[in-house]
Every structure is written in structure tokens, then in C-alpha cells.
Amino acid sequence: MDIKAMRKEITELIDNIKQHSDELTDKPHIPQLELELIVSKIDLLYKKSILFTHEYSRSRQAPAETIKPDTEKGPEKQGPVQHPIPVRTYPDLKSLIGINQRFQFTAELFGGSAEALNEAISQINASKNKEEALQAAAELKARFGWKDDSQAADDLIRLIVKKFE
């Protein structure tokens, strides 16, 4: 990705965080889900800014670093060693939910439907990162009409965050 595109992504993310924050300004209580979404976006902004800084400094150094190709390829002149990037796996959300919480979530958050809870767990488990999982939770909140001051909703959000730690 080029520097201009990275800069544009960062600017759009900053604008999105600001807009999300502005929507919460007049609320007397900020729901846990909303806070987690904002924190997740800030974390993503931090990571993108690190990548941007790295790419920016690399692009400014590139012209000075012209490396001639080696015609000799002995064992000591193989070039840099490529290390695979480890793929991080997260625990299954289902394993983080206790039996009592399962009943509570089913009754209070999913209208008594264990099937709806299981579908929600599957959707969250399929999320690639915390931000995506929290966005799925925000959609579930709207779909099932969770109250902003719901302790069960806050507990579920904490488990989602824990899943991605």
C-alpha cells in the first residue's frame, strides 16, 4: 500500500472515531459496547500509525540504499532469513461463557432463544479481530434491543474483549 493511501485510511479512521465520540457526547451513560468500539478503533489507529511511520521512513531511505545483487550465492550469502509471521488464534467465545451466563444471555439478550445466542457466538468467533467482533455485537444490540445499562450486555462485551486479548 502506498503512503498516500495509508495516510487517507488513518485520516478516515480519525474522522470515524471523532464522529462516534460526538454521537455519545450528550448521553448520560456511555454503554460498555460503545466504549469498547471506540477503544478498538483507537487501537487500530495506533497500529496503522506505526505501519505508516515505518513505511514513510523506509520510503525516505530507499534511494540511498541501492544494493547490488550478489553473483556468489554461498551458504553465508543467502540474503535475509524470512521468518513466517505467526497467525494468532483466539479462544472460542463459547468456552469463555459459563453455564449461568449462557442462561442469562439467552434470557436477557436473545429473547429466550438459545439458537440466536449460538448464531451470535458463531458470528463473533468468525470475526478476524476485536473491532469486527465489537461491530457484530453492536449489530446484535440493535437487532435485539439491548438496553444501554444492561449488565448482561456489558458482561458479554467483556468476554468478547477477553477473547481477543
Side-chain angles (χ1 to χ4, degrees):
M1 183 179 284
D2 70 344
I3 300 295
K4 283 186 178 184
M6 291 176 84
R7 175 120 170 54
K8 184 178 180 191
E9 268 188 28
I10 288 172
T11 304
E12 288 172 353
L13 189 54
I14 290 169
D15 291 343
N16 184 279
I17 292 167
K18 171 83 169 92
Q19 179 184 2
H20 198 155
S21 172
D22 289 347
E23 291 170 2
L24 300 173
T25 300
D26 295 331
K27 287 192 173 188
H29 168 73
I30 300 174
Q32 183 72 26
L33 176 60
E34 300 298 330
L35 285 174
E36 292 296 343
L37 275 169
I38 290 173
V39 169
S40 177
K41 289 176 185 179
I42 291 169
D43 184 49
L44 182 62
L45 175 63
Y46 173 71
K47 289 173 183 173
K48 284 185 180 283
S49 69
I50 289 172
L51 288 173
F52 175 80
T53 302
H54 174 72
E55 287 298 318
Y56 182 77
S57 65
R58 200 173 105 193
S59 71
R60 297 196 37 107
Q61 294 172 356
E65 293 180 6
T66 52
I67 301 170
K68 293 182 182 177
D70 246 347
T71 52
E72 296 176 34
K73 287 290 182 186
E76 62 279 339
K77 295 199 176 205
Q78 292 287 327
V81 176
Q82 295 293 325
H83 296 288
I85 297 172
V87 177
R88 182 152 185 213
T89 57
Y90 299 101
D92 185 341
L93 182 61
K94 190 180 252 185
S95 69
L96 296 174
I97 299 173
I99 189 72
N100 290 340
Q101 284 179 318
R102 177 172 278 283
F103 287 120
Q104 181 186 27
F105 294 162
T106 300
E108 294 181 29
L109 301 178
F110 296 95
S113 173
E115 185 177 318
L117 173 62
N118 288 333
E119 287 174 12
I121 289 171
S122 295
Q123 181 183 5
I124 291 166
N125 278 334
S127 300
K128 295 176 190 139
N129 55 43
K130 181 171 67 172
E131 182 179 44
E132 193 176 299
L134 290 171
Q135 188 60 45
E139 291 167 10
L140 290 167
K141 176 185 176 188
R143 181 173 151 204
F144 289 98
W146 300 349
K147 293 186 172 107
D148 286 345
D149 61 349
S150 168
Q151 183 62 47
D154 287 351
D155 290 345
L156 180 59
I157 300 309
R158 276 192 269 286
L159 290 174
I160 291 170
V161 170
K162 183 177 181 179
K163 171 184 172 39
F164 288 94
E165 287 181 337

mmCIF file of all heavy atoms in Angstrom, residues 37-59:
data_model
loop_
_atom_site.group_PDB
_atom_site.id
_atom_site.type_symbol
_atom_site.label_atom_id
_atom_site.label_comp_id
_atom_site.label_asym_id
_atom_site.label_seq_id
_atom_site.Cartn_x
_atom_site.Cartn_y
_atom_site.Cartn_z
ATOM 1 N N LEU A 37 -15.896 -0.235 21.397
ATOM 2 C CA LEU A 37 -15.751 0.054 19.966
ATOM 3 C C LEU A 37 -14.783 1.202 19.731
ATOM 4 O O LEU A 37 -13.921 1.140 18.848
ATOM 5 C CB LEU A 37 -17.109 0.387 19.352
ATOM 6 C CG LEU A 37 -17.956 -0.794 18.908
ATOM 7 C CD1 LEU A 37 -19.366 -0.339 18.573
ATOM 8 C CD2 LEU A 37 -17.335 -1.501 17.732
ATOM 9 N N ILE A 38 -14.906 2.252 20.526
ATOM 10 C CA ILE A 38 -14.009 3.396 20.371
ATOM 11 C C ILE A 38 -12.572 3.004 20.710
ATOM 12 O O ILE A 38 -11.636 3.340 19.978
ATOM 13 C CB ILE A 38 -14.486 4.597 21.218
ATOM 14 C CG1 ILE A 38 -15.781 5.166 20.622
ATOM 15 C CG2 ILE A 38 -13.414 5.684 21.284
ATOM 16 C CD1 ILE A 38 -16.437 6.239 21.462
ATOM 17 N N VAL A 39 -12.392 2.275 21.794
ATOM 18 C CA VAL A 39 -11.046 1.826 22.177
ATOM 19 C C VAL A 39 -10.452 0.930 21.088
ATOM 20 O O VAL A 39 -9.271 1.037 20.746
ATOM 21 C CB VAL A 39 -11.067 1.106 23.544
ATOM 22 C CG1 VAL A 39 -9.763 0.404 23.821
ATOM 23 C CG2 VAL A 39 -11.371 2.104 24.653
ATOM 24 N N SER A 40 -11.274 0.079 20.521
ATOM 25 C CA SER A 40 -10.817 -0.795 19.441
ATOM 26 C C SER A 40 -10.377 0.022 18.227
ATOM 27 O O SER A 40 -9.349 -0.265 17.607
ATOM 28 C CB SER A 40 -11.937 -1.761 19.062
ATOM 29 O OG SER A 40 -11.554 -2.565 18.001
ATOM 30 N N LYS A 41 -11.136 1.046 17.905
ATOM 31 C CA LYS A 41 -10.769 1.906 16.779
ATOM 32 C C LYS A 41 -9.472 2.658 17.069
ATOM 33 O O LYS A 41 -8.630 2.832 16.186
ATOM 34 C CB LYS A 41 -11.887 2.907 16.485
ATOM 35 C CG LYS A 41 -13.114 2.269 15.871
ATOM 36 C CD LYS A 41 -14.223 3.286 15.700
ATOM 37 C CE LYS A 41 -15.507 2.647 15.204
ATOM 38 N NZ LYS A 41 -16.591 3.631 15.053
ATOM 39 N N ILE A 42 -9.295 3.096 18.311
ATOM 40 C CA ILE A 42 -8.066 3.793 18.702
ATOM 41 C C ILE A 42 -6.876 2.845 18.600
ATOM 42 O O ILE A 42 -5.807 3.223 18.120
ATOM 43 C CB ILE A 42 -8.195 4.406 20.112
ATOM 44 C CG1 ILE A 42 -9.197 5.560 20.086
ATOM 45 C CG2 ILE A 42 -6.845 4.869 20.640
ATOM 46 C CD1 ILE A 42 -9.613 6.073 21.456
ATOM 47 N N ASP A 43 -7.072 1.597 19.015
ATOM 48 C CA ASP A 43 -6.018 0.591 18.908
ATOM 49 C C ASP A 43 -5.643 0.365 17.437
ATOM 50 O O ASP A 43 -4.470 0.297 17.090
ATOM 51 C CB ASP A 43 -6.482 -0.719 19.553
ATOM 52 C CG ASP A 43 -5.407 -1.774 19.576
ATOM 53 O OD1 ASP A 43 -4.276 -1.467 20.009
ATOM 54 O OD2 ASP A 43 -5.695 -2.925 19.165
ATOM 55 N N LEU A 44 -6.645 0.273 16.581
ATOM 56 C CA LEU A 44 -6.398 0.112 15.151
ATOM 57 C C LEU A 44 -5.663 1.335 14.592
ATOM 58 O O LEU A 44 -4.732 1.193 13.794
ATOM 59 C CB LEU A 44 -7.721 -0.102 14.414
ATOM 60 C CG LEU A 44 -7.639 -0.339 12.914
ATOM 61 C CD1 LEU A 44 -6.844 -1.611 12.602
ATOM 62 C CD2 LEU A 44 -9.041 -0.441 12.332
ATOM 63 N N LEU A 45 -6.046 2.523 15.031
ATOM 64 C CA LEU A 45 -5.370 3.745 14.609
ATOM 65 C C LEU A 45 -3.896 3.713 15.014
ATOM 66 O O LEU A 45 -3.008 4.054 14.225
ATOM 67 C CB LEU A 45 -6.058 4.971 15.222
ATOM 68 C CG LEU A 45 -5.401 6.326 14.973
ATOM 69 C CD1 LEU A 45 -5.390 6.662 13.485
ATOM 70 C CD2 LEU A 45 -6.128 7.405 15.764
ATOM 71 N N TYR A 46 -3.641 3.276 16.226
ATOM 72 C CA TYR A 46 -2.266 3.175 16.723
ATOM 73 C C TYR A 46 -1.445 2.232 15.839
ATOM 74 O O TYR A 46 -0.339 2.566 15.415
ATOM 75 C CB TYR A 46 -2.287 2.689 18.178
ATOM 76 C CG TYR A 46 -0.925 2.392 18.748
ATOM 77 C CD1 TYR A 46 -0.033 3.417 19.035
ATOM 78 C CD2 TYR A 46 -0.532 1.087 19.000
ATOM 79 C CE1 TYR A 46 1.218 3.150 19.556
ATOM 80 C CE2 TYR A 46 0.719 0.807 19.523
ATOM 81 C CZ TYR A 46 1.590 1.836 19.790
ATOM 82 O OH TYR A 46 2.829 1.567 20.300
ATOM 83 N N LYS A 47 -2.014 1.061 15.539
ATOM 84 C CA LYS A 47 -1.298 0.084 14.705
ATOM 85 C C LYS A 47 -1.059 0.624 13.304
ATOM 86 O O LYS A 47 0.030 0.467 12.743
ATOM 87 C CB LYS A 47 -2.090 -1.223 14.643
ATOM 88 C CG LYS A 47 -2.076 -1.975 15.958
ATOM 89 C CD LYS A 47 -2.993 -3.170 15.918
ATOM 90 C CE LYS A 47 -3.009 -3.857 17.286
ATOM 91 N NZ LYS A 47 -4.015 -4.916 17.348
ATOM 92 N N LYS A 48 -2.065 1.274 12.737
ATOM 93 C CA LYS A 48 -1.905 1.831 11.391
ATOM 94 C C LYS A 48 -0.870 2.957 11.392
ATOM 95 O O LYS A 48 -0.121 3.116 10.430
ATOM 96 C CB LYS A 48 -3.238 2.334 10.857
ATOM 97 C CG LYS A 48 -4.160 1.216 10.409
ATOM 98 C CD LYS A 48 -5.419 1.759 9.772
ATOM 99 C CE LYS A 48 -6.326 0.657 9.338
ATOM 100 N NZ LYS A 48 -5.925 -0.010 8.131
ATOM 101 N N SER A 49 -0.818 3.737 12.463
ATOM 102 C CA SER A 49 0.156 4.827 12.512
ATOM 103 C C SER A 49 1.583 4.285 12.613
ATOM 104 O O SER A 49 2.506 4.862 12.036
ATOM 105 C CB SER A 49 -0.144 5.781 13.669
ATOM 106 O OG SER A 49 0.091 5.162 14.903
ATOM 107 N N ILE A 50 1.754 3.170 13.303
ATOM 108 C CA ILE A 50 3.082 2.542 13.380
ATOM 109 C C ILE A 50 3.503 2.063 11.989
ATOM 110 O O ILE A 50 4.634 2.295 11.553
ATOM 111 C CB ILE A 50 3.087 1.380 14.395
ATOM 112 C CG1 ILE A 50 2.991 1.938 15.812
ATOM 113 C CG2 ILE A 50 4.344 0.528 14.245
ATOM 114 C CD1 ILE A 50 2.798 0.892 16.877
ATOM 115 N N LEU A 51 2.578 1.388 11.296
ATOM 116 C CA LEU A 51 2.883 0.922 9.939
ATOM 117 C C LEU A 51 3.183 2.097 9.009
ATOM 118 O O LEU A 51 4.104 2.038 8.199
ATOM 119 C CB LEU A 51 1.717 0.107 9.383
ATOM 120 C CG LEU A 51 1.524 -1.263 9.990
ATOM 121 C CD1 LEU A 51 0.234 -1.895 9.474
ATOM 122 C CD2 LEU A 51 2.704 -2.163 9.691
ATOM 123 N N PHE A 52 2.388 3.163 9.139
ATOM 124 C CA PHE A 52 2.609 4.342 8.306
ATOM 125 C C PHE A 52 3.994 4.934 8.567
ATOM 126 O O PHE A 52 4.737 5.237 7.625
ATOM 127 C CB PHE A 52 1.533 5.397 8.573
ATOM 128 C CG PHE A 52 1.776 6.687 7.831
ATOM 129 C CD1 PHE A 52 1.444 6.795 6.487
ATOM 130 C CD2 PHE A 52 2.338 7.773 8.479
ATOM 131 C CE1 PHE A 52 1.667 7.972 5.800
ATOM 132 C CE2 PHE A 52 2.568 8.950 7.792
ATOM 133 C CZ PHE A 52 2.241 9.056 6.449
ATOM 134 N N THR A 53 4.348 5.087 9.833
ATOM 135 C CA THR A 53 5.653 5.647 10.186
ATOM 136 C C THR A 53 6.776 4.791 9.626
ATOM 137 O O THR A 53 7.752 5.306 9.075
ATOM 138 C CB THR A 53 5.786 5.783 11.720
ATOM 139 O OG1 THR A 53 4.724 6.601 12.195
ATOM 140 C CG2 THR A 53 7.114 6.378 12.113
ATOM 141 N N HIS A 54 6.622 3.483 9.736
ATOM 142 C CA HIS A 54 7.636 2.561 9.216
ATOM 143 C C HIS A 54 7.763 2.704 7.696
ATOM 144 O O HIS A 54 8.871 2.837 7.161
ATOM 145 C CB HIS A 54 7.269 1.124 9.592
ATOM 146 C CG HIS A 54 8.169 0.105 8.972
ATOM 147 N ND1 HIS A 54 9.462 -0.086 9.386
ATOM 148 C CD2 HIS A 54 7.962 -0.756 7.941
ATOM 149 C CE1 HIS A 54 10.019 -1.028 8.644
ATOM 150 N NE2 HIS A 54 9.123 -1.454 7.772
ATOM 151 N N GLU A 55 6.644 2.660 6.987
ATOM 152 C CA GLU A 55 6.669 2.770 5.525
ATOM 153 C C GLU A 55 7.195 4.136 5.084
ATOM 154 O O GLU A 55 7.945 4.234 4.114
ATOM 155 C CB GLU A 55 5.270 2.545 4.941
ATOM 156 C CG GLU A 55 4.830 1.103 4.986
ATOM 157 C CD GLU A 55 5.715 0.178 4.170
ATOM 158 O OE1 GLU A 55 6.108 0.538 3.042
ATOM 159 O OE2 GLU A 55 6.032 -0.910 4.677
ATOM 160 N N TYR A 56 6.800 5.174 5.802
ATOM 161 C CA TYR A 56 7.249 6.518 5.459
ATOM 162 C C TYR A 56 8.761 6.633 5.610
ATOM 163 O O TYR A 56 9.451 7.120 4.714
ATOM 164 C CB TYR A 56 6.544 7.555 6.328
ATOM 165 C CG TYR A 56 6.931 8.976 6.000
ATOM 166 C CD1 TYR A 56 6.399 9.609 4.884
ATOM 167 C CD2 TYR A 56 7.822 9.681 6.803
ATOM 168 C CE1 TYR A 56 6.749 10.910 4.566
ATOM 169 C CE2 TYR A 56 8.178 10.980 6.496
ATOM 170 C CZ TYR A 56 7.649 11.590 5.385
ATOM 171 O OH TYR A 56 8.007 12.878 5.072
ATOM 172 N N SER A 57 9.292 6.159 6.734
ATOM 173 C CA SER A 57 10.744 6.247 6.940
ATOM 174 C C SER A 57 11.485 5.349 5.948
ATOM 175 O O SER A 57 12.562 5.701 5.472
ATOM 176 C CB SER A 57 11.116 5.900 8.379
ATOM 177 O OG SER A 57 10.816 4.561 8.654
ATOM 178 N N ARG A 58 10.908 4.194 5.623
ATOM 179 C CA ARG A 58 11.518 3.284 4.654
ATOM 180 C C ARG A 58 11.546 3.916 3.255
ATOM 181 O O ARG A 58 12.539 3.810 2.546
ATOM 182 C CB ARG A 58 10.749 1.967 4.630
ATOM 183 C CG ARG A 58 11.542 0.837 4.057
ATOM 184 C CD ARG A 58 10.801 -0.446 4.213
ATOM 185 N NE ARG A 58 10.287 -0.744 2.882
ATOM 186 C CZ ARG A 58 9.396 -1.637 2.592
ATOM 187 N NH1 ARG A 58 8.850 -2.344 3.553
ATOM 188 N NH2 ARG A 58 9.020 -1.862 1.382
ATOM 189 N N SER A 59 10.472 4.593 2.897
ATOM 190 C CA SER A 59 10.417 5.209 1.562
ATOM 191 C C SER A 59 11.412 6.369 1.450
ATOM 192 O O SER A 59 11.927 6.640 0.372
ATOM 193 C CB SER A 59 9.009 5.694 1.244
ATOM 194 O OG SER A 59 8.674 6.816 2.025
#
